[in-house]
Every structure is written in structure tokens, then in C-alpha cells.
């Protein structure tokens, strides 16, 4: 049995003041793997005090010093990259392919911030004024379970690049992954108090971070409902907020799309990270004239969507992170049937021979209409809704008819055609003909998918306050 009895404050592993614990259960077979000690409000106070004290000197560091710290952070994590990947597979149940990518994303985010610092202008002119971009203060970082260490590294490396210090609350479901990352970060030898980590529950530790007057900014990734709670709580102390929330991303197959490539991509987009991805392409929009072809191709390509042991190289879909998440996905599959969508592939229950874990059958509904709850709500599991449209105007209208606006996918034989449609989509990112990513490009949502942007210049500026000096 693994016991994680410490949190991390002021450069040291330390016992929390809080006395509650959290059971770490394997999603692969539902056995108890470990027990995580949880912090409380008092631990947040101690962590914030350490971060506040460290900010005095860290905010004055030079760009060259911060680049060196980021490089140390990168190297320490890089030395244990395989272990970080493997523990993610075991604790969270993500497929080995996805987890490897996630560790690489964590490392890339640090490198990207180094590259950014090498060119970023912290002093600019505006009219007659000199504008200094200064670190905002102590950052509160609150992260979800679906790529825990990658989110922590992305946010923390940006905070460090800006000259901010941080108090981090990872998801309580990620205790083992956090512990290993902390060992790496401790090894990196950053100044004491620059980062502090308090494991704990959202309504205790997360709420204390949200309310704390000495935290200047919150960077949060998680569900829209929690994001709203944080936004409400943050306003009392006028915190700056970056909220990366949920999505219900449309994947628009235009009339001229090459379905032989677009359909395998649609399956990957819907089922990435076992469907537990904010950017999953969960609404597949298909021209009515090509729906039969699409249905056939979906069946033919379902061998890509292999469910099983996440440690195996050819697995695309591992178990859902928890029994609760499994049940939530099951309820949505049942709901789709009750709403009158046609179950085309998959359905309720567990796949054969995978009864012990939280495995779901990859599921596709066809004849879905955009007013059904399975088309409107984020399911966060491997469930794809296929919606047909009569013409391009209707496709764009359906794509935009959602409370979310995180990402959209467009497939077309013509880049010009795809770009024309992309310009009319209300989403923070539009990917054309493939699952593309650039860590310098801004990432974040329109509408209820969030507030603000991460990555690149936009992400760094979210940790900075402009100060105009007029002589
Ligand atoms: P969640 O909102 O339940 O939890 C996220 C974090 O917030 C956890 O650390 C949790 O403990 C904490 N939290 C919970 N209640 C809180 C409160 N009252 N105050 C402060 N913190 C609180 O989300 P989750 O279930 O961990 O993750 C899944 C969700 O995250 C999905 O909705 C998904 O779309 C979203 N997500 C968004 C992005 C993005 O970049 N936009 C990326 C990944 C996941």
C-alpha cells in the first residue's frame, strides 16, 4: 500500500495540518492502491505565506535567471520521463500512447516558455509612456485529473517565466503522479517557496485558494461548473482569472472532405484520452448526402478504437478514471437511447473480459439532433454523436449552437474552403484536416469554455500586469 503523507511547502516535503485522507483506487481493476493525506485551509495559508515571501525576490530575477530555472525544471523532469508516463498509466488509466504524449507536452511547455522568454518584450512603448509588464503576484494553480502533470507543468512554467510564485492544488485523484512530479521539481533546485503544492479537496483547498487575499491570480483547468464557482469566489479579492473549461467540439466534415482520412481522424478526435478530453470532437457533423458512407466507414474503422489494458501499445481507450465517471458515461449512453438517437456502435455496459475496471464500450449514436442532451452536454467518455446537416449554412449554425466554444475540427479537400468555414466558427481553436497542435498558439475557449488564453505570448501576458510610466 502506497502512503503519501506529505505536501510541499517552502522547498520541503512536510506533513499537512489537515487530517483527512483520500483513497487512491486503480481504475484498471478498482483495487485500493494508496492513501493520500489531504491538506486544509491552514496548509493553504502556510503555502501562500511561503509563496508571498518568495515573490519578493523571485519577482526581481532576470530573464536569464528564470531561463536557467526553467531549464533545471525541464532536465529534472526529463530524467524521469518514463516513470512519469508509467505512473500516469497506472494511476489514471490513460493509454500508454496518450500518457507518453502528455509527459512530452509537459516537457515541451517548459521549453516553449524558455523560447518565449528569449524574445519577449517586458518593456514596451505606448504613446509617450513606457509600459513595464510586471509579474502579477502569487498564482493559484488548480488542475484536473485528465493530464495532471502536463497541466501543472504548463501553468507553473508560465508562472515562473513571468516571475510569479505559485500555490498548486492538483486533483486529489492524481496523488501518485503529483508525488513523482514533486520529487522531480524538488530535484530541480528552484528557490524555496517558488512553488508549493497542497493536495486536497476542491471545496476545501481549492476554495481556500480562491478566497485567499494574497493570491493575485488563479489559473484553473477543469469543469465549467467549478470554473463558475471559482470566478464568483475570485471577484471578492479581484483576482485575475484564467479558466480553461469544458467543451462539446464540433467536427465538421464538409461536402468535399476525403472521408477515407477524415473518418479515422474523427474516431481519434472523439476518443482521444479515452474520451476524457476537453477538446474531444464529440459532435460529428456530416452532410446528409454522405451519411450512409460515413456510417459504413465508422464501422470499418472501429478497430482503431481498441479498448483494454492501457499499458499495451495498441490500446486507444483505457478505463474511465473512477467508478463515478464510468457511471456518468453509462447514464449518458442510456439517455441517448431514451432521447431517440440510434445506437450505431457500442452501447451500455462493459466490454467482454474487462469487467473489473471502469471500461466503457466505445459508442456511436447516429440520427442525433443538436437539441438532444447527448449533443449539448459534455459526457467526458468515448461517446460520439453523429448529426447530419443539409447544407453548409446549417453545418455552421449547428457547430455554433452550443454553450461551449473551446475547439472545432474542419475537414475539406480545399484549404481555402476549410478556412472560410473556420472563420465563422465561434471557438478558441479550429483544426483543419488533422489533430494539430502548436504550443505557441493561444489555447482557450469562447463562451462557457472559459476566460482568457494559455500558451505563447497570450498565456504569458495573463501572468503579467502592465504598468505605464509617464515622464
Ligand atoms: P473539476 O472541475 O471537477 O475539478 C478540477 C479541479 O478543481 C480539481 O483539482 C478539483 O479538486 C478542483 N475543485 C473542485 N471544486 C472546487 C471548488 N469549489 N473550488 C476550487 N477548486 C475546486 O474537473 P475534473 O473532473 O477534475 O476534470 C474534468 C473537467 O475538466 C472537464 O469538464 C473538462 O472539460 C475540463 N478540462 C478542461 C480543459 C481545458 O483546457 N479547457 C482541459 C482538461 C479538462
Amino acid at each position: 500500500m502506497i502512503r503519501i503523507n506529505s505536501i510541499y511547502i517552502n522547498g520541503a516535503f512536510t506533513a499537512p495540518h489537515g487530517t483527512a485522507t483520500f483513497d487512491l483506487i486503480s481504475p484498471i481493476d478498482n483495487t485500493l492502491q494508496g492513501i493520500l493525506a489531504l491538506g486544509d485551509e491552514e496548509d493553504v495559508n502556510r503555502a501562500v505565506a511561503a509563496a508571498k515571501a518568495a515573490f519578493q525576490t523571485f519577482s526581481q530575477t532576470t530573464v536569464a535567471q528564470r531561463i536557467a530555472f526553467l531549464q533545471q525544471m525541464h532536465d529534472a523532469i526529463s530524467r524521469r520521463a518514463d516513470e512519469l508516463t508509467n505512473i500516469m498509466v497506472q494511476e489514471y488509466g490513460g493509454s500508454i500512447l496518450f500518457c507518453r504524449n502528455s509527459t512530452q507536452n509537459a516537457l515541451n511547455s517548459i521549453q516553449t516558455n524558455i523560447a518565449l522568454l528569449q524574445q519577449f518584450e517586458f518593456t514596451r512603448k505606448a504613446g509617450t509612456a513606457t509600459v513595464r509588464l510586471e509579474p502579477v503576484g502569487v498564482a493559484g494553480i488548480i488542475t484536473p485529473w485528465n493530464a495532471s502533470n502536463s497541466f501543472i507543468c504548463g501553468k507553473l512554467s508560465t508562472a515562473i517565466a513571468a516571475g510569479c510564485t505559485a500555490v498548486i492544488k492538483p486533483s486529489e485523484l492524481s496523488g501518485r503522479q503529483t508525488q513523482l512530479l514533486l520529487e522531480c521539481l524538488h530535484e530541480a533546485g528552484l528557490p524555496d517557496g517558488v512553488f508549493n503544492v497542497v493536495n486536497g479537496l476542491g471545496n476545501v483547498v481549492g476554495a481556500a485558494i480562491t478566497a485567499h487575499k494574497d493570491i493575485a491570480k488563479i489559473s484553473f483547468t477543469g469543469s465549467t461548473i467549478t470554473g463558475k464557482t471559482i470566478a464568483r469566489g475570485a471577484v471578492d479579492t479581484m483576482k485575475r482569472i484564467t479558466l480553461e473549461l469544458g467543451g462539446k467540439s464540433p467536427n465538421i466534415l464538409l461536402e468535399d472532405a476525403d472521408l477515407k482520412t477524415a473518418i479515422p481522424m474523427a474516431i481519434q478526435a472523439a476518443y482521444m484520452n479515452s474520451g476524457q478530453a476537453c477538446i474531444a470532437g464529440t459532435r460529428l457533423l456530416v452532410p446528409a448526402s454522405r451519411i450512409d458512407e460515413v456510417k459504413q466507414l465508422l464501422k470499418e474503422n472501429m478497430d482503431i478504437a481498441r479498448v483494454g489494458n492501457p499499458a499495451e501499445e495498441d490500446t486507444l481507450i483505457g478505463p474511465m478514471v473512477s467508478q463515478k465517471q464510468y457511471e456518468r458515461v453509462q447514464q449518458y449512453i442510456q439517455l441517448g437511447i431514451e432521447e431517440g438517437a440510434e445506437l450505431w456502435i457500442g452501447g451500455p455496459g462493459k466490454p467482454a473480459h474487462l469487467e473489473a475496471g471502469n471500461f466503457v464500450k466505445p459508442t456511436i449514436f447516429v440520427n442525433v439532433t443538436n437539441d438532444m442532451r447527448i449533443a449539448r452536454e459534455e459526457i467526458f467518455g468515448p461517446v460520439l454523436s453523429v448529426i447530419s446537416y443539409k447544407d453548409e449554412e446549417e453545418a455552421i449554425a449547428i457547430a455554433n449552437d452550443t454553450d461551449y466554444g473551446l475547439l472545432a475540427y474542419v475537414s475539406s479537400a480545399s484549404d481555402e474552403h476549410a478556412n472560410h468555414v473556420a472563420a465563422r466558427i465561434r471557438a478558441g481553436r479550429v483544426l483543419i484536416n488533422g489533430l494539430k497542435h502548436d504550443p505557441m498558439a493561444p489555447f482557450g475557449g469562447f463562451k462557457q469554455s472559459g476566460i482568457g488564453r494559455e500558451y505563447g505570448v497570450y498565456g504569458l501576458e495573463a501572468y503579467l500586469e502592465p504598468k505605464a510610466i509617464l515622464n
Side-chain angles (χ1 to χ4, degrees):
M1 177 71 57
I2 296 150
R3 288 183 188 276
I4 301 171
N5 292 325
S6 57
I7 54 177
Y8 192 86
I9 296 180
N10 206 27
F13 289 94
T14 168
H17 172 269
T19 52
T21 59
F22 185 81
D23 289 347
L24 299 170
I25 313 266
S26 162
I28 301 167
D29 59 10
N30 279 305
T31 54
L32 180 65
Q33 298 288 306
I35 295 176
L36 176 70
L38 300 179
D40 63 8
E41 292 87 348
E42 177 55 29
D43 293 306
V44 171
N45 289 339
R46 288 159 53 195
V48 176
K52 187 182 175 186
F55 183 74
Q56 295 300 321
T57 43
F58 199 70
S59 58
Q60 304 303 314
T61 49
T62 63
V63 165
Q65 284 172 313
R66 299 205 292 281
I67 288 177
F69 288 136
L70 288 172
Q71 194 62 51
Q72 286 163 233
M73 178 179 168
H74 176 273
D75 295 349
I77 294 170
S78 169
R79 282 194 286 276
R80 300 185 75 179
D82 288 345
E83 281 176 82
L84 285 158
T85 298
N86 291 336
I87 206 155
M88 184 174 175
V89 174
Q90 285 171 33
E91 179 172 56
Y92 162 61
S95 74
I96 180 96
L97 280 178
F98 177 82
C99 295
R100 227 180 255 136
N101 263 333
S102 179
T103 304
Q104 196 52 51
N105 281 343
L107 290 164
N108 289 351
S109 67
I110 305 170
Q111 287 296 10
T112 306
N113 277 310
I114 291 175
L116 193 58
L117 274 185
Q118 281 157 347
Q119 64 191 43
F120 192 81
E121 302 286 344
F122 281 92
T123 305
R124 302 171 189 174
K125 291 299 277 185
T128 58
T130 301
V131 180
R132 288 164 51 88
L133 295 178
E134 299 189 350
V136 63
V138 176
I141 291 175
I142 304 177
T143 52
W145 40 259
N146 63 340
S148 181
N149 285 342
S150 168
F151 290 123
I152 294 173
C153 288
K155 291 176 192 295
L156 177 61
S157 63
T158 314
I160 288 174
C164 293
T165 57
V167 174
I168 303 166
K169 192 211 91 65
S171 169
E172 58 278 18
L173 292 167
S174 312
R176 292 175 64 198
Q177 296 165 77
T178 302
Q179 182 66 13
L180 185 54
L181 180 69
L182 268 176
E183 288 172 22
C184 300
L185 292 174
H186 182 67
E187 269 290 308
L190 306 183
D192 293 349
V194 166
F195 69 93
N196 305 272
V197 176
V198 183
N199 287 313
L201 299 180
N203 60 358
V204 179
V205 171
I209 289 174
T210 305
H212 205 294
K213 70 176 176 40
D214 290 334
I215 291 189
K217 174 204 168 62
I218 291 195
S219 179
F220 169 76
T221 296
S223 60
T224 294
I225 188 157
T226 305
K228 289 180 184 178
T229 305
I230 290 175
R232 279 187 211 103
V235 79
D236 286 337
T237 46
M238 219 45 94
K239 286 182 178 60
R240 284 71 184 121
I241 48 174
T242 303
L243 304 176
E244 296 290 353
L245 311 177
K248 193 75 194 178
S249 300
N251 181 355
I252 311 170
L253 307 184
L254 295 177
E255 193 86 43
D256 61 357
D258 171 14
L259 296 183
K260 293 239 159 11
T261 54
I263 294 300
M265 199 231 48
I267 292 172
Q268 297 271 2
Y271 297 156
M272 64 169 82
N273 200 5
S274 312
Q276 301 173 121
C278 53
I279 58 170
T282 47
R283 291 185 297 147
L284 185 63
L285 274 47
V286 177
S289 59
R290 302 192 73 181
I291 189 73
D292 291 337
E293 216 182 323
V294 165
K295 282 165 70 174
Q296 186 56 31
L297 279 167
L298 283 168
K299 281 216 161 134
E300 284 170 19
N301 282 283
M302 275 305 275
D303 57 332
I304 309 171
R306 187 175 173 277
V307 193
N309 181 347
E312 288 171 11
E313 291 288 339
D314 57 351
T315 294
L316 179 71
I317 303 169
M320 302 295 96
V321 69
S322 62
Q323 211 147 7
K324 190 170 152 215
Q325 188 65 19
Y326 168 82
E327 275 152 22
R328 177 188 153 91
V329 177
Q330 292 300 313
Q331 280 163 14
Y332 273 107
I333 294 174
Q334 197 52 46
L335 179 68
I337 295 167
E338 284 161 19
E339 286 183 305
E342 182 189 342
L343 187 59
W344 184 242
I345 292 168
K350 294 184 179 178
H353 314 301
L354 291 169
E355 286 80 7
N358 308 323
F359 294 93
V360 171
K361 293 180 195 161
T363 295
I364 299 180
F365 283 105
V366 295
N367 286 333
V368 177
T369 53
N370 205 44
D371 58 348
M372 292 180 183
R373 283 181 56 199
I374 56 165
R376 303 202 77 79
E377 297 174 18
E378 187 178 48
I379 299 174
F380 233 53
V383 182
L384 174 63
S385 293
V386 180
I387 303 170
S388 56
Y389 65 83
K390 61 178 187 309
D391 57 30
E392 206 162 285
E393 278 308 306
E394 194 184 40
I396 292 165
I398 294 172
N400 288 333
D401 176 19
T402 166
D403 289 339
Y404 294 110
L406 189 59
L407 201 126
Y409 305 81
V410 180
S411 290
S412 166
S414 146
D415 272 358
E416 196 190 341
H417 187 190
N419 277 297
H420 175 74
V421 171
R424 298 184 58 196
I425 301 298
R426 308 271 303 154
R429 267 193 188 190
V430 183
L431 310 188
I432 292 174
N433 289 331
L435 306 178
K436 297 172 180 169
H437 176 60
D438 188 324
M440 280 291 184
F443 178 80
F446 280 40
K447 301 191 268 181
Q448 295 192 34
S449 285
I451 294 179
R453 294 291 180 271
E454 293 194 283
Y455 301 163
V457 170
Y458 299 88
L460 182 53
E461 285 183 353
Y463 286 81
L464 296 165
E465 285 279 20
K467 179 195 281 177
I469 298 172
L470 289 97
N471 286 310

